[in-house]
Structure formats: structure tokens, C-alpha cells
Amino acid sequence: MNRIVKILFSALLGGWAGLAAWALLDVLIGRARLESLLGGGIGTAIYVSAAITGALVGLLAGMLITGLEKWNNSAKLVPTLLGVVIGIGAGLLGGLIGLLLAEVLFQNLRLQGELAQVSRVVGWALFGLGVGVAPGIATWSARKTAASSVGGFIGGILGGLALVALTTLIDFSLTGRAVGFVVLGTFVGLFIALAQEIVKQAELKIISGGRFEGREFMIDKPRITIGSSGRNDWVIANDPHLQSEHIEIRQEGGKFILRALNPNAATAVNNQRVMTQPLNNGDRIQIGSTLLRITMR
């Protein structure tokens, strides 16, 4: 999918994660019932309820956003499921720790007025940070991990501030909490995708290649591989002329270098057959029956 669609999808999936978490917690279970089931005194119930809320929202957001990332890169079930598992773990931990810490600050520091709201915004920021870690880990990219973490953190701050603003406009009962969860998830998903877009150095786009035409892939690691196998960073599964591991693109000395990984692999840059070739902005890369274009900042 192209970058704009991906950004919109990331925001949409974050919002859906918030809505699903609200439906599970407030509609199917009910917060009052949850707190009564937890027992252990009102203080314990508040802390555990905050931890469960953060963990569930984070789990769903991490699962959906990271699953989208892996599906865009592979369009295959196994890599996508791996991304989903990583997203669940990172989102769950980020959400749990973030909201639990916020609730501890809120309850024990006895903050009043604007300072009380600040503690909650800090919690949502940590929640966004946890969710943002997941896409980078799932793709083994330090650059993407850093970018999406910062994006998630910023999204959590802005989403938290939006929640604070909403409390002055609507009753934060059942419907109000639904709106709040959706707003928060949307901000986190949106800024994770935007941060990745801002820091990217180069991207590849399929300009001719069957049903995957128009797909874009960010080059966000020192080395990426492209081929038909699920082991690659970018999987193009519908090209019968593509080798399992067809090419690699490395960043060396500030340049991008293409290398064919198989001497029998059909690889050309600007219609010239190559085995190793430095790439320039706008170069057209033919691998198998698929034509790519590289765009650099």
C-alpha cells in the first residue's frame, strides 16, 4: 500500500483498537463489575483496573498496527502473525506500565487540578511509547524502532491532552469513555506512521508487477533483502521469475548499493543487466517480472 493509505490505516486501526477495548471493558464486562471482581480493597481494584485497561488497549493497538506493518512488507500469513505476536507483547507491556504508573502517580501524589491531568497524560505517553516500539522490533530495524517509539510517545501525549480537553466538553461516562479510547488510539496510530515517514531515507515502489503494483517499502536498515521467500525483508510473492532471495540493498558510505544474490537472477537497473550497482534517486530496478523505482531523500 502507498504511504498515505498506510498512515490512514494506522490511525484507523489505532482508533478501532481503542473502540474494541472500550467494548470489552465497559460493555461486555462493565467497569463496576470488574472492580468488584478484583476485590482486595478499592485501592487495589483501581490499580488493577488501570493496568488491565492499559494492557488491553495497548495489546489491541500493537497487534493491529504491527500486523499491518508486516502484511505490507510480506503479504504472507506467517510473517504477519509473527508481527502480530510482537505487537501484542510490546503493546501489552507499554499499556500496562503506562497506565499503572499514571494511576500510581495520581493516587499517591495527591495531585490536584492541572497537575493531576499531567500525570494521566504521562501515562498515555508511556502507553504510546510501548505500542510504538512494536513495529520496529517486528522488522528488526533500529531506525524504525526509534522513530515509531517517538511517534507513539508524541501520539500518546497529544491523545492524552485531547482526552483532557474532552472531559470539559462531554460526560465521561459510558459513551464519553468510548470517544476517549478511540481518540487516543487514533492519535497513537497516526503518529507512529507519521514518524516513520519523516525519518525514512529511501523507499522502493512497485510500479509494474501484478496485484502488488503501487506497494511501497521503506528502506530503514543498513541491509534489506527482496525476494519471494518469507525470510526477506520485503516479500514479492506473485512473481514466478523472482528468486527466493533475489537482491539486497546495502547502505555503504552514504550510498545505496544493489547486489544480485543469485547469478541466474534477472536483475537490471535502468534497463542494464547488473550484479552490483550503486543506486541513484529515481533509478528503475527490474527484478524478475517486477519493476521497482527507488526514491531517496
Side-chain angles (χ1 to χ4, degrees):
M1 67 182 64
N2 65 47
R3 69 177 75 90
I4 296 175
V5 173
K6 183 182 173 185
I7 290 171
L8 293 176
F9 255 102
S10 184
L12 180 65
L13 291 177
W16 273 108
L19 183 63
W22 165 81
L24 286 170
L25 288 169
D26 286 17
V27 178
L28 295 181
I29 299 174
R31 289 184 60 82
R33 184 183 176 196
L34 175 63
E35 293 183 1
S36 67
L37 289 173
L38 293 172
I42 186 63
T44 301
I46 289 173
Y47 293 140
V48 176
S49 176
I52 291 173
T53 300
L56 184 56
V57 179
L59 179 156
L60 291 169
M63 176 182 72
L64 294 173
I65 293 170
T66 308
L68 171 70
E69 182 77 23
K70 292 296 286 184
W71 178 257
N72 181 65
N73 292 356
S74 69
K76 284 193 170 184
L77 183 60
V78 173
T80 300
L81 288 178
L82 176 61
V84 164
V85 170
I86 293 172
I88 287 173
L92 185 150
L93 287 175
L96 185 152
I97 293 171
L99 282 205
L100 183 58
L101 178 60
E103 201 59 52
V104 169
L105 290 172
F106 182 77
Q107 297 293 335
N108 291 281
L109 296 182
R110 306 296 181 186
L111 300 175
Q112 300 294 326
E114 292 183 358
L115 288 178
Q117 300 296 350
V118 167
S119 70
R120 298 208 182 275
V121 172
V122 168
W124 287 120
L126 293 175
F127 157 83
L129 176 68
V131 175
V133 165
I137 294 176
T139 53
W140 303 107
S141 169
R143 187 179 183 86
K144 183 175 288 184
T145 301
S148 57
S149 298
V150 172
F153 185 80
I154 294 172
I157 291 175
L158 296 178
L161 291 173
L163 286 178
V164 171
L166 282 172
T167 59
T168 64
L169 300 175
I170 59 177
D171 176 21
F172 244 64
S173 55
L174 191 65
T175 304
R177 279 174 55 81
V179 173
F181 276 30
V182 170
V183 167
L184 180 73
T186 299
F187 269 94
V188 170
L190 175 64
F191 278 87
I192 286 174
L194 283 175
Q196 293 179 13
E197 183 67 24
I198 290 170
V199 302
K200 74 178 181 184
Q201 294 176 301
E203 69 178 6
L204 293 165
K205 180 176 182 178
I206 297 179
I207 57 177
S208 176
R211 68 186 180 93
F212 291 131
E213 188 172 316
R215 278 178 64 199
E216 295 173 337
F217 176 77
M218 186 186 303
I219 301 177
D220 53 14
K221 296 193 293 185
R223 175 182 183 266
I224 64 137
T225 61
I226 302 172
S228 60
S229 166
R231 297 187 300 271
N232 293 282
D233 297 291
W234 195 11
V235 181
I236 303 176
N238 68 330
D239 187 342
H241 301 104
L242 212 62
Q243 301 292 320
S244 59
E245 294 180 340
H246 201 101
I247 63 169
E248 69 172 14
I249 297 177
R250 288 182 176 271
Q251 297 182 46
E252 297 178 359
K255 295 183 178 181
F256 293 94
I257 311 296
L258 177 147
R259 288 191 179 93
L261 297 175
N262 188 318
N264 298 319
T267 304
V269 176
N270 298 327
N271 298 319
Q272 297 294 317
R273 184 76 178 263
V274 299
M275 285 298 293
T276 301
Q277 176 72 26
L279 297 172
N280 298 305
N281 185 44
D283 279 351
R284 291 180 172 233
I285 304 165
Q286 183 82 42
I287 51 173
S289 301
T290 302
L291 183 61
L292 312 171
R293 182 176 63 232
I294 185 167
T295 303
M296 305 176 189
R297 285 196 180 278

